[in-house]
Amino acid sequence: MRSRGNARSSRALAVSWRPETWHPRLDMGRLPRPRSSTSHRNLPHVFLFVLFVGPFHCLASYSRATELLYSLNEGLPAGVLIGSLAEDLRLVPRASGRQNQQVQSPEHAGTEWDPPLSFSLASGRLSGQYVTLDNRSGELHTSAREIDREALCLEGGGGAAWGSSVSISSSPSSDSCLLLLDVLVLPQEYFRFVKVKIAIRDINDNAPQFPVSQISVWVPENAPVNTRMAIEHPAVDPDVGTNGVQTYRLLDYQGMFTLDVEENENGERTPYLIVMGALDRETQDQYVSIIIAEDGGSPPLLGSATLTIGISDINDNCPLFTDSQINVTVYGNATVGTPVAAVRAVDRDLGSNALITYTYSQKVPQASKDLFHLDETTGVIKLFNIIGGNVLQTHKLTILANGPGCIPAVITALVSIIKVIFRPPEIVPRYIANEIDGVVYLKELEPVNTPIAFFTIRDPEGKYKVNCYLDGEGPFRLSPYKPYSNEYLLETTKPMDYELQQFYEVAVVAWNSEGFHVKRIIKVQLLDDNDNAPVFLQPLIELSIEENNAPNAFLTKLYATDADSGERGQVSYFLGPDAPSYFSLDSVTGILTVSTQLDREEKEKYRYTVRAVDCGKPPRESVATVALTVLDKNDNSPRFINKDFSFFVPENFPGYGEIGVISVTDADAGRNGWVALSVVNQSDIFVIDTGKGMLRAKVSLDREQQSSYTLWVEAVDGGEPPLSSSTKITILLLDINDNPPLVLFPQSNMSYLLVLPSTLPGSPVTEVYAVDKDTGMNAVIAYSIIGRRGPRPESFRIDPKTGNITLEEALLQTDYGLHRLLVKVSDHGYPEPLHSTVMVNLFVNDTVSNESYIESLLRKEPEINIEEKEPQISIQPTHRKVESVSCMPTLVALSIISLGSITLVTGMGIYICLRKGKKHHREDENLEVQIPLKGKIDLHMRERKPMDISNI
């Protein structure tokens, strides 16, 4: 975390250039009191310097050029006050008509400017991003972008350590980090061009850091105490001054080393390693410690690296023999080249310092040197010539081990020769196979009985019988080669495999009858052939990857082995011809990738072959099968089979009956493809089965209360996170004839109408008005008179369609009195029509003179014979025998009827409203009762009120 610096403001010095003077006017005013309205002015450590600036001739007639220098710590938060240009420039309002500015005293600080001052940044430099300038007050504050000295001043350099008092400098320090601003003071009569420089002071916000984590230093083992060696890669600290690197130390000096720090003229500190004790590489060749760099901040910050001190070798050791003398014996019949002895000296130094050469001492006789050869590199002594009969029986070989800059080490080899009476048998080889330096080279694919060499076995003295045999393990046979008695053939006995064994060593042994043996070593090296094809670890490579993978996604690394050696065992990898083009296989590394995104819903499984081919001639190959399974991700939302669903349901459908199936699919698999359905709205009425998608109604539905329902069903899958979709469900209720017609007029069986005897035949008398809540044919109403009582009730007829009752015949004197008509109001519902009845009472008379008499007649139960004749109207229900049909045609027909009924009910409602309005209008205009016609009946007519009926 950055340590926050503080800012301290000081009163500016007014330094300006005026044309009539050639020296600056300096005013060292006292520090102003902090303003109570601005809390940031209390922050300390902001310094202001005002420098003299030369004349600007282009502005000399009306302006001053001024330079201000502030100083603040890096890392300050936004809103810290840097300084007030108006106060630090000591600007004074100009009086009317005056041409010169006067220095404003502190007591005039509240003077208003007319016109008001305006401050603006004239420069478009990067510095403007770190400060904000108040255009009215001229106050400079830090902006939201934090000032980082190390990022701002990439070239570094130590920042000037500014004091807490006001300073005047002709130019800022060369190692300062500065923000440069150009500020314009307007309007023109107060114009000033101000150069503002803000020096950024460093804080200890960076720890020292070594450029490498491992530092190696080599010190010769003979380095004297107090030897100093500079450590490369010193630590770097972006901070400057005391905040930079100040000292180094070792965490574990192990008593052998310490550190010192030297500072050059540029102030750079370099650590030096100092040797404190005697070093010996042969005792300890390396020291490991931790070097720590520490800066001078408060608190100090640390950086560390591992310091490895290697001790380099010097030639401070000489060769040494462990023994001073060795004794060996040699038989007089030993063959030339037989090893006699080997000497070995040890030098504890390394490299060239430990190089040893072996030589004979000058004291060794030349005869001994000619008989025994000394290898100067290995120290092996071999028999160089045949041992003759006159050779000395004992040879003293003095051998010197020579090291660079050392006195030779000495060892003596005392060789005793044992004479033998008989000469050993001789074995003379003649190679058929390729032989180099005693090694026979055979190809592994050579056939059985491949000849290797002929061997001639003989006795040098010709006195003894010589036999031979083959000693050692291997697919070889040594057999006499007939017809010669002393010739033997060495050949193979079975096929050889380089991958099982590459090298064989056998010996041809000859012995004579005296029991003397001689041995000849045969070394056989097999040469590899391309007889093995590459082999995959698994013939079936099963892989899996999630769909929507990134391009060039890694699938696997194929690996095949080839038992052959060299380039014959080098394997390259290739895709088979059945592999899709968007799979790639690196021929060298065997890395299998897919270049495009895979979609499980498009293809879930891929199966193709890959080949492993070696570099033999001809090449061999093997094939493996890649089975790739694309794993599902929840990348598909549930999908309804239809954009929306519509269901036609008969009303009074039983609760929890099956309305219809909402079919939905999800292309994903497993839990990602599991879909749950729910009703979003109307859930108090409808419910849906998640498993089957069956939509049900919790309660029985009544079309007369609500004819249709609109639902939204949501489908949510089981993925993480889950995906969802929704669809619109429309449920239309089909009408059932469950409502009989409702008679609205007459309102009661006890109401009556007065019919004047002068009423002309054909005149309408009254009407019966009824409505039906059902729709379609269920709401088509027919009117009929099914019962009559009175003097001559057949004089009245009712219209089956409109319900209008008219006078059929002229009324006679005998027709006076009460006529009672029983009217049946029936709908055309299917399969069974419903009906209601109403009694229409017509009183034929000139006046109503005795209402109580009429009411008494109405109270009596009428003896009316019921007529079974059905009304005949143009729309007749079919009374044929209903055949057994399926429900679907019926539902379709009912749905068509229901749609038409909606239009019919709407029209009837409008029609009734119009009739009501006209009726009330006529009653207001004329109190005389008119003959009621269809559509003009007052539905609120009082019971038993007599009405006059006459022709107008």
Side-chain angles (χ1 to χ4, degrees), residues 493-679:
T493 59
K494 62 180 181 180
M496 292 178 289
D497 191 347
Y498 175 87
E499 287 70 39
L500 296 178
Q501 188 171 346
Q502 297 88 33
F503 184 79
Y504 296 89
E505 184 174 298
V506 295
V508 176
V509 181
W511 83 98
N512 57 19
S513 57
E514 296 298 325
F516 196 86
H517 292 72
V518 69
K519 182 185 291 187
R520 186 65 179 244
I521 303 298
I522 307 299
K523 298 179 180 179
V524 179
Q525 175 68 54
L526 292 186
L527 300 177
D528 188 30
D529 279 320
N530 191 30
D531 59 338
N532 292 279
V535 177
F536 284 99
L537 296 180
Q538 295 176 338
L540 178 62
I541 305 168
E542 295 181 330
L543 307 173
S544 63
I545 187 175
E546 280 194 343
E547 63 176 329
N548 304 330
N549 54 281
N552 300 317
F554 172 83
L555 295 178
T556 188
K557 186 179 187 300
L558 302 180
Y559 185 70
T561 59
D562 194 318
D564 295 324
S565 62
E567 65 178 11
R568 291 172 292 274
Q570 295 179 1
V571 180
S572 299
Y573 302 91
F574 304 95
L575 290 172
D578 55 343
S581 60
Y582 37 83
F583 288 95
S584 300
L585 179 60
D586 191 290
S587 61
V588 177
T589 63
I591 293 178
L592 180 65
T593 57
V594 57
S595 61
T596 186
Q597 282 190 350
L598 300 180
D599 188 357
R600 189 203 65 83
E601 289 73 36
E602 181 179 341
K603 189 172 183 179
E604 183 177 7
K605 293 184 179 296
Y606 295 86
R607 193 179 184 92
Y608 53 88
T609 57
V610 290
R611 299 185 302 127
V613 183
D614 63 22
C615 297
K617 294 182 180 179
R620 291 176 176 267
E621 69 175 49
S622 61
V623 178
T625 300
V626 174
L628 176 64
T629 301
V630 182
L631 303 179
D632 184 55
K633 290 182 69 175
N634 192 28
D635 57 344
N636 289 278
S637 301
R639 189 173 185 179
F640 292 93
I641 61 172
N642 296 329
K643 185 178 180 181
D644 49 34
F645 295 81
S646 296
F647 297 102
F648 294 91
V649 181
E651 64 174 327
N652 303 328
F653 197 67
Y656 292 95
E658 298 180 352
I659 295 176
V661 176
I662 310 299
S663 299
V664 62
T665 60
D666 194 315
D668 293 323
R671 187 172 182 83
N672 295 332
W674 181 83
V675 180
L677 297 173
S678 61
V679 178

Side-chain angles (χ1 to χ4, degrees), residues 210 215 231 248-250 259 271 289-293 303-307:
F210 288 90
I215 302 175
I231 297 178
Y248 294 86
R249 70 175 186 269
L250 287 179
L259 286 181
S289 181
I290 302 296
I291 183 173
I292 297 177
S304 64
T306 300
L307 178 63

Side-chain angles (χ1 to χ4, degrees), residues 716-886:
V716 182
D717 62 22
E720 189 64 36
L723 302 178
S724 64
S725 61
S726 59
T727 188
K728 180 182 178 182
I729 311 295
T730 302
I731 300 175
L732 300 174
L733 296 183
L734 302 178
D735 185 50
I736 293 179
N737 192 26
D738 58 345
N739 291 280
L742 176 63
V743 178
L744 300 180
F745 185 85
Q747 296 180 358
S748 171
N749 290 334
M750 302 298 293
S751 62
Y752 64 93
L753 293 174
L754 177 64
V755 180
L756 298 178
S758 58
T759 303
L760 298 177
S763 299
V765 177
T766 185
E767 73 170 350
V768 177
Y769 181 72
V771 295
D772 196 317
K773 294 181 179 180
D774 296 323
T775 61
M777 295 299 295
N778 295 332
V780 176
I781 298 176
Y783 302 89
S784 62
I785 298 175
I786 61 173
R788 303 171 187 263
R789 182 176 177 79
R792 196 159 55 99
E794 63 273 8
S795 301
F796 299 95
R797 185 182 72 84
I798 191 169
D799 189 306
K801 290 184 180 180
T802 64
N804 286 341
I805 297 176
T806 57
L807 182 63
E808 285 290 304
E809 301 175 359
L811 295 175
L812 304 176
Q813 188 69 28
T814 58
D815 293 333
Y816 281 65
L818 182 62
H819 296 255
R820 309 194 73 175
L821 306 177
L822 181 60
V823 178
K824 178 180 180 182
V825 183
S826 176
D827 61 22
H828 284 71
Y830 180 83
E832 186 69 28
L834 302 179
H835 69 275
S836 300
T837 58
V838 66
M839 186 70 71
V840 178
N841 301 302
L842 303 176
F843 186 70
V844 178
N845 199 8
D846 294 323
T847 61
V848 179
S849 59
N850 191 352
E851 290 187 8
S852 60
Y853 171 72
I854 298 175
E855 291 177 358
S856 64
L857 293 178
L858 293 175
R859 294 191 189 98
K860 294 181 180 180
E861 288 293 333
E863 296 180 2
I864 300 177
N865 295 325
I866 303 300
E867 301 175 3
E868 297 299 331
K869 182 179 179 181
E870 293 293 334
Q872 300 295 324
I873 60 175
S874 59
I875 301 178
Q876 296 287 345
T878 303
H879 295 286
R880 295 182 308 208
K881 181 179 180 180
V882 179
E883 299 179 355
S884 176
V885 295
S886 63

Side-chain angles (χ1 to χ4, degrees), residues 48-73:
L48 175 65
F49 297 88
V50 183
L51 304 179
F52 172 74
V53 178
F56 289 81
H57 297 287
C58 59
L59 304 175
S61 60
Y62 59 89
S63 67
R64 299 178 181 181
T66 308
E67 184 177 281
L68 300 179
L69 180 63
Y70 296 95
S71 176
L72 76 161
N73 290 347

Side-chain angles (χ1 to χ4, degrees), residues 365-378:
Q366 187 63 38
S368 298
K369 294 180 180 179
D370 294 340
L371 185 60
F372 301 101
H373 177 265
L374 174 62
D375 190 306
E376 66 176 10
T377 303
T378 63

Side-chain angles (χ1 to χ4, degrees), residues 158-159 202 239-246 269 296:
D202 183 51
D239 296 326
V240 296
T242 58
N243 293 331
V245 178
Q246 298 297 316
R269 289 177 170 86

Side-chain angles (χ1 to χ4, degrees), residues 425-429 455-458 468 508-510 518-520:
E426 294 181 352
I427 300 175
V428 180
F455 292 91
T456 301
I457 309 299
R458 63 190 177 186
C468 72
V508 176
V509 181
V518 69
K519 182 185 291 187
R520 186 65 179 244

